[in-house]
Amino acid sequence: MKRPLLPLLVCTLLTSTGVTAKERSTFRYTAPPDGERPVIVDATVGPQGSDFAMRLRFDKAPWGEDCKSRCANATLLLDTDNSKQSGLRLTQDSPVNGADLVVLVQGVRESPKEEGGKAETWLRVKVRLLGNDARSVDDGELLAELSHKQDSERLHVEDTSVYLLVDATSAALPSARKARVVYQPPGSKPLTATIPGMIGGGGGKGVRIFKDGNWNRARDAAPKKSKPAPGDNG
């Protein structure tokens, strides 16, 4: 009896090299050597149950004393119904048109409250719902604000990797069989990838970032390296 193949993450930047037992990178990016802030260089994004699960690998630590005041400030956009008829509207030909969710990953540093004290640092994730009237990524309803110190069931950091679950149960969030992910590296062209959406069973067979409430059980599910397509900078 043949076993059904797991649906693969479809990436516009990578060519398919066959069936893989683990998740495949949704997108990859080669960071410039002189970059001021940490940037995402490898991401796996897909449905997991009623959430969008993400494994985001940065080129260097996204928060903490190493980056001080120049820590991560990365923006991911999700077009959850793969349609430009709903969601964010920017310029006519912008690749982020149609985005329904914006996920902002920030390394935060707060000055000491007392002289001689130690600065507070942490990783923060903000998630906003972008309605049809949204004209910037700052528009829309704040759905979640997570701290890796307080929200470990949804956000975990290890070294340069960020593991994240984004709740997709809002009644105002559109869904379809396919979704799009857009990442805008600083000073570079946007990276766009197509992934399975929440409709059609994709939510039960997507990536496994957190398994049974424990991120550690899925940590060995590393994306398989794929051959970059012509013109891919990753």
Side-chain angles (χ1 to χ4, degrees):
M1 176 176 169
K2 294 184 178 179
R3 297 177 61 187
L5 299 179
L6 296 179
L8 301 178
L9 297 180
V10 181
C11 180
T12 59
L13 305 175
L14 304 177
T15 58
S16 174
T17 57
V19 176
T20 172
K22 303 289 185 181
E23 298 94 46
R24 175 172 297 177
S25 295
T26 304
F27 64 79
R28 292 179 295 163
Y29 172 70
T30 300
D34 56 349
E36 292 187 357
R37 291 183 182 272
V39 294
I40 299 170
V41 293
D42 189 289
T44 303
V45 183
Q48 180 176 320
S50 60
D51 303 301
F52 281 105
M54 303 183 183
R55 181 192 292 107
L56 311 175
R57 291 192 171 101
F58 286 79
D59 63 325
K60 47 194 172 186
W63 71 284
E65 289 300 320
D66 289 344
C67 55
K68 296 191 182 298
S69 61
R70 303 296 293 173
C71 294
N73 191 24
T75 300
L76 283 172
L77 295 112
L78 291 177
D79 180 0
T80 57
D81 59 351
N82 195 28
S83 170
K84 295 186 178 181
Q85 302 306 310
S86 63
L88 180 64
R89 295 284 196 284
L90 291 184
T91 59
Q92 183 175 357
D93 299 322
S94 174
V96 304
N97 284 345
D100 304 294
L101 283 178
V102 57
V103 179
L104 183 61
V105 182
Q106 297 176 312
V108 180
R109 180 184 177 88
E110 190 175 88
S111 300
K113 294 182 173 61
E114 299 178 358
E115 187 176 352
K118 188 177 180 181
E120 288 286 331
T121 61
W122 69 96
L123 191 87
R124 175 174 66 192
V125 173
K126 289 184 177 182
V127 182
R128 288 187 179 276
L129 174 66
L130 300 173
N132 295 340
D133 57 347
R135 296 296 180 268
S136 80
V137 295
D138 296 321
D139 293 340
E141 176 188 355
L142 181 65
L143 295 182
E145 182 169 339
L146 307 174
S147 163
H148 85 282
K149 294 182 178 181
Q150 301 171 353
D151 303 292
S152 58
E153 74 282 0
R154 288 197 164 266
L155 176 61
H156 180 85
V157 186
E158 182 175 275
D159 298 326
T160 60
S161 294
V162 174
Y163 301 81
L164 173 65
L165 287 177
V166 175
D167 188 350
T169 59
S170 171
L173 188 65
S175 59
R177 292 183 179 275
K178 296 291 184 181
R180 276 192 314 129
V181 181
V182 183
Y183 172 52
Q184 175 67 73
S188 298
K189 294 181 179 180
L191 307 181
T192 304
T194 303
I195 62 173
M198 284 293 173
I199 292 180
K205 298 181 180 179
V207 298
R208 302 302 298 177
I209 303 302
F210 290 72
K211 186 176 182 180
D212 300 326
N214 187 344
W215 78 273
N216 196 53
R217 297 185 186 182
R219 62 181 299 185
D220 60 344
K224 182 177 179 180
K225 290 184 179 179
S226 300
K227 192 181 200 178
D232 178 16
N233 67 353

